[in-house]
Amino acid sequence: ERRLTEQKLAQAHREQAQMNARLSVLHDIDRQVLASGSVEELLQFAIRRMCETLGCLRASILLVDRDEAGDVQQFRLAAVGGAALGLQPPGSTFQKDVFSASEIEAYEHGQPVEHTDLGAILEQHPEYVRLHASGVRSMTQLPLTSRGKLLGTLNLSYASVGPPPREDVEIG
């Protein structure tokens, strides 16, 4: 019983440390909002801090560009951070067919998309070949929405195969 109590206490300390780290990131982002000269600078700062805190290999934000009818036309890389930086610079665009119709539909409905083994889907997603070559083995894409409308995705990439840590998905 004493061992169980010690384990619960240790778990509570780990959870508290994670929460403190998240609060620190939010505080730093808040301060950066006041100091930033542009949205791009703010996004770059936020992505960099997220990578440090979450321990993901790479993180990026893709924003949706829509046509006059409001349909998704392409995605624009707004910010990227982490170890795999040299892949595509911010400002790069990707046609919507980089993602499958089911992925875009999931994003539109606010649902995350997880790729637990990037190597298994390289034929279906040629754009992921560069990610895989840079060491990315799994990723999760969290939709960024406002008032039910898809604005973009927050993409978290990892060096190991498997699902992302639940805490990382919860930030979305």
Side-chain angles (χ1 to χ4, degrees):
E1 188 172 311
R2 179 181 165 104
R3 179 183 285 165
L4 185 59
T5 302
E6 289 173 357
Q7 289 173 347
K8 286 182 180 180
L9 185 59
Q11 178 64 26
H13 284 294
R14 283 191 299 274
E15 289 172 3
Q16 183 66 42
Q18 286 177 339
M19 185 59 69
N20 288 343
R22 287 181 184 171
L23 288 173
S24 174
V25 168
L26 290 175
H27 175 72
D28 289 349
I29 291 170
D30 184 50
R31 290 177 54 192
Q32 187 67 25
V33 165
L34 299 174
S36 284
S38 70
V39 172
E40 291 79 13
E41 287 177 7
L42 176 61
L43 292 175
Q44 279 299 139
F45 178 82
I47 284 295
R48 208 170 38 250
R49 287 292 284 133
M50 288 181 74
C51 279
E52 292 167 7
T53 303
L54 298 177
C56 56
L57 180 64
R58 179 180 195 269
S60 64
I61 294 176
L62 288 175
L63 297 178
V64 172
D65 290 332
R66 296 180 180 273
D67 62 17
E68 291 177 11
D71 295 326
V72 174
Q73 280 304 115
Q74 64 183 13
F75 290 86
R76 183 172 31 88
L77 185 60
V80 62
L85 278 175
L87 297 171
Q88 295 285 352
S92 299
T93 58
F94 304 90
Q95 294 305 308
K96 71 177 185 178
D97 62 2
V98 161
F99 301 108
S100 69
S102 63
E103 287 172 319
I104 292 177
E105 185 176 335
Y107 304 145
E108 295 275 9
H109 289 95
Q111 300 168 349
V113 172
E114 294 179 5
H115 297 296
T116 57
D117 184 359
L118 219 55
I121 62 168
L122 294 179
E123 288 181 20
Q124 299 149 351
H125 290 280
E127 190 62 40
Y128 293 166
V129 170
R130 282 185 272 191
L131 288 172
H132 192 264
S134 73
V136 173
R137 296 298 175 258
S138 63
M139 65 188 300
T140 188
Q141 298 157 317
L142 305 169
L144 304 172
T145 60
S146 176
R147 298 181 182 153
K149 187 172 183 176
L150 178 66
L151 302 176
T153 61
L154 169 62
N155 311 292
L156 304 173
S157 303
Y158 301 90
S160 59
V161 171
R166 283 293 119 205
E167 312 82 61
D168 291 7
V169 176
E170 289 172 1
I171 66 169

